[in-house]
Each structure stands twice: as C-alpha cells, then as structure tokens.
Amino acid sequence: MATQSFDIALIQLGNVTSSKEKNLQHAREMVAKAAAGDGSFKPRVVVLPECFNSPYGVKYFPEYAEKIGFKNDQPYDVEKGESESVKMLSSVAKETGVWLIGGSIPERDTSDDKVLYNTSTIYSPEGKLVGIHRKVHLFDIDIPGKITFQESKVLTGGSQLTQIDTDVGRLGVGICYDVRFPELAMVAARQGCAAMIYPGAFNLTTGPLHWELLARGRAVDNQIYIAMCSPARDTSADYHAWGHSMLVDPLGKVVAEADENERIVYARIDPEAIKEARKNIPVTTQRRFDVYPDVSA
C-alpha cells in the first residue's frame, strides 16, 4: 500500500519518428518537463507510454529492439549494458530524482536474437534499473473491416507479474493488452499495490469502446488507482493511438484525463482514498475463497 500521498505524471508522448535518436531526446525532454511539475503537482512517479522509442507496429519491433539482459536476482550495470534507451532513462531518472516507469521498448533476448519482447523498464530516483515488465498478453485481434494486429508474429509474451517497492509504496506494472486480464490487478491489489500502471496504445476502434471502461473496472473491482499512459495520436503514422491517458481512483472515478494530443497528465495518489473505499464498500474482507480460488495465493 502507498505509505503517503504522492503525485504522478503521465506523459502522453507525441512526435515519435523513425529516428530513435530523436525519439529518445524528445522523451528525455518530456520526462524532465514532467518531473518539474506544473505548480500544483510535483511528481514522485513519472510514466512514459508504450513503444515510446519507435513507431508502433510489428514491422518496426525487430529494427528498434535493444538487448537489456536484466535479471531480477542480479545487480544491473546500466553503463555496461547495450541498450541506449535504458541508458537515457536511467540518466534522466537520476537527473530528475523520480521513479520512472519507462513506457515500453522492443527488447531483444540476450541469449536468442530471434526472441523479442515488449518490455517496460523501471528506474529508481538514483537511476538504478530496479525491474522490468515483459508484456504478458500479446495483442492479437481481428475485427473485420476495422483492425487486424498480431503481435505474436514477432513478439514473445512475458512470464512474470511485476511489482515494484518504492519509497511511496508498492506499484504494479502491466502493458496495454494486459489490462484486459483482471488477474494482474487482482494479484497486485491483494499483494499491497496502491496502483497498477499500464503504458498502453489502444487504437481508434478499441480505445473509445474499452480504454476508460477497463481502467475504471480494474480500479473499482480492486479499490486501487489505475494509471493508463498512451502515446499521443498521430494520424500520419501507421497506427493511430487513442490517447486519453488517465488516472482513475479506487471508486472508479476518472480524476485526470488528456485528450488525444501530446500532454502531461498530473494527478495525486492518496492512500486514504483507498482505505476509505475499502472501509465503505468492504469487498476486500467479503470475498469467498471457500467458494472460488484466490488468484493471488
């Protein structure tokens, strides 16, 4: 659970080009801007969107993929690593002194060049890479006449859930399509997370249908905060993101939301709101694990 109230900034990043160098520079500038706050908010946690260092699409993933080689049980030396995106994110997290959820980038497995993941990297205010989340559920859909997308043609799904202990509390991380599977948020909530953070890139078909609905559903079911961080919409790109990055509170209320353009969404996560929701509607103590299984057990 969160130990104190803290501010969060969701960067709805725009101007993603075919130049990784330019994308990384723009992302760095936006993290610095977000971390500085807006006068009312001074973020302790900053979030980038899914696939921020490259155009979004299966044909781009192999070209932009980077080797990271992070292992949970081993110290990680950022400077000795191969990933330029990791080095930039580590540097700007240290420079700004924030917890940074580095959206996601295509990751190439260090032991098999043919294996790619969609991976979020997470940094402490000291710039240490403290965790990664490899997208567990791959975005394979076919809506006739509207959109067909098949991540599994190129990517491999991750095999672990991700939670990070910070100085303001425990946070869970998922990526985009992961939000459609309630188990991630259920486990996170029951294991003490104050929020689930989802860098994601819903499109103009699934976005208006389900982006807000899923965020509010995950929030109210588990009485935690849900953060959804999208890229900005670029209608000249191959993939048109929905945008509308938002934070939803434990009662399912959208407390802050962007439109489709490049924006920084600022909001506050308050542990008292979680406690109040659970006190007034005590589903956390009313579950019947004698009738159905506890997915967090």
Side-chain angles (χ1 to χ4, degrees):
M1 186 61 64
T3 56
Q4 58 185 289
S5 295
F6 64 93
D7 295 341
I8 187 169
L10 310 176
I11 300 173
Q12 188 160 288
L13 193 71
N15 301 311
V16 175
T17 71
S18 59
S19 168
K20 185 189 289 187
E21 181 181 2
K22 290 181 180 178
N23 296 339
L24 293 180
Q25 180 59 34
H26 183 51
R28 169 185 270 279
E29 291 168 355
M30 290 297 285
V31 170
K33 181 179 179 180
D38 69 345
S40 299
F41 295 93
K42 178 62 176 174
R44 188 61 178 155
V45 178
V46 174
V47 186
L48 281 164
E50 184 179 22
C51 287
F52 75 90
N53 76 346
S54 71
Y56 189 81
V58 294
K59 68 181 181 181
Y60 299 110
F61 296 152
E63 177 184 354
Y64 289 83
E66 301 177 10
K67 292 184 177 180
I68 300 175
F70 177 86
K71 296 182 179 178
N72 283 317
D73 57 349
Q74 297 179 16
Y76 186 85
D77 190 329
V78 170
E79 292 307 312
K80 290 183 179 179
E82 298 182 43
S83 171
E84 56 188 311
S85 297
V86 166
K87 290 178 182 180
M88 183 280 287
L89 293 168
S90 168
S91 172
V92 74
K94 183 177 182 180
E95 177 185 304
T96 57
V98 298
W99 291 92
L100 178 58
I101 314 297
S104 79
I105 65 171
E107 178 197 4
R108 191 178 302 279
D109 195 285
T110 54
S111 59
D112 187 344
D113 280 353
K114 296 179 181 179
V115 176
L116 303 178
Y117 306 98
N118 186 344
T119 300
S120 181
T121 55
I122 303 150
Y123 305 83
S124 73
E126 295 73 38
K128 294 181 180 179
L129 177 58
V130 296
I132 67 170
H133 177 75
R134 289 170 171 165
K135 188 174 187 177
V136 174
H137 304 94
L138 300 181
F139 183 45
D140 287 2
I141 68 166
D142 183 8
I143 302 176
K146 294 187 177 180
I147 184 170
T148 299
F149 203 95
Q150 195 168 7
E151 279 189 322
S152 63
K153 285 184 176 180
V154 175
L155 299 178
T156 297
S159 58
Q160 293 184 325
L161 304 186
T162 303
Q163 298 172 16
I164 300 296
D165 287 314
T166 77
D167 58 2
V168 292
R170 181 173 291 179
L171 305 174
V173 179
I175 298 175
C176 199
Y177 203 55
D178 284 338
V179 75
R180 289 189 178 275
F181 300 86
E183 291 83 359
L184 275 74
M186 292 163 67
V187 171
R190 293 175 200 174
Q191 294 183 352
C193 289
M196 275 294 295
I197 298 172
Y198 296 95
F202 277 35
N203 54 67
L204 300 189
T205 298
T206 60
L209 282 172
H210 296 147
W211 176 261
E212 179 181 325
L213 176 65
L214 286 164
R216 295 179 69 188
R218 297 293 86 85
V220 76
D221 279 351
N222 298 288
Q223 296 173 319
I224 60 173
Y225 285 87
I226 300 293
M228 305 280 280
C229 188
S230 170
R233 189 179 307 166
D234 179 359
T235 55
S236 68
D238 293 352
Y239 185 92
H240 301 160
W242 173 237
H244 293 270
S245 298
M246 63 175 58
L247 184 75
V248 180
D249 76 9
L251 291 177
K253 178 183 177 182
V254 178
V255 295
E257 180 182 0
D259 56 13
E260 72 274 15
N261 300 308
E262 182 171 82
R263 296 278 187 271
I264 299 172
V265 176
Y266 297 98
R268 182 159 295 140
I269 289 177
D270 182 3
E272 291 304 314
I274 299 174
K275 293 176 184 176
E276 187 72 10
R278 294 179 177 181
K279 175 184 175 183
N280 293 340
I281 308 174
V283 295
T284 55
T285 61
Q286 294 171 332
R287 291 192 173 97
R288 292 287 307 276
F289 296 134
D290 59 321
V291 177
Y292 45 79
D294 180 359
V295 298
S296 69

